Amino acid sequence: MKNNYKFFSNKACEYFPCHKVNNKDDFNCLFCYCPLYFLEDCGGNNKVVYGIKDCSNCMIPHSPNGYEYIVNKIVQVNEKRTDEALKKK
């Protein structure tokens, strides 16, 4: 599979798929737990319920292009934090 480091489906998982989807073949399990969860502005479709971030309606990490989105978001956040740290010096 081309780009298999970006996408895989764990169809043996008892929770597969963990979200309602139209096409299970496009469901990406690579980010079973989203690395962007702790970002207030992650860009996903989330809501706060009783003070807890609820991402159950977000499909970004499970989409075929989720890898690119997440990696780019991490790079953006790191660049912003680096710029802010340099300004403080």
Side-chain angles (χ1 to χ4, degrees):
M1 176 184 205
K2 185 178 178 184
N3 295 324
N4 61 352
Y5 65 95
K6 296 181 181 182
F7 185 97
F8 84 95
S9 291
N10 184 6
K11 294 180 180 175
C13 176
E14 64 183 293
Y15 301 106
F16 181 84
C18 59
H19 296 267
K20 291 181 182 179
V21 293
N22 293 327
N23 186 351
K24 291 180 182 180
D25 291 332
D26 287 338
F27 193 86
N28 190 354
C29 299
L30 180 64
F31 295 116
C32 179
Y33 182 81
C34 184
L36 305 180
Y37 177 80
F38 291 101
L39 293 180
E40 186 174 334
D41 181 21
C42 62
N45 183 22
N46 63 74
K47 58 186 173 186
V48 177
V49 179
Y50 300 113
I52 298 171
K53 188 175 181 180
D54 176 1
C55 305
S56 58
N57 290 321
C58 182
M59 291 299 297
I60 289 173
H62 302 298
S63 68
N65 295 320
Y67 177 87
E68 285 84 5
Y69 179 88
I70 289 172
V71 169
N72 287 332
K73 189 70 169 180
I74 291 170
V75 168
Q76 289 173 1
V77 168
N78 284 334
E79 286 175 348
K80 181 179 177 185
R81 289 181 180 169
T82 299
D83 291 345
E84 289 171 359
L86 290 173
K87 288 177 184 177
K88 289 181 181 180
K89 288 186 175 186

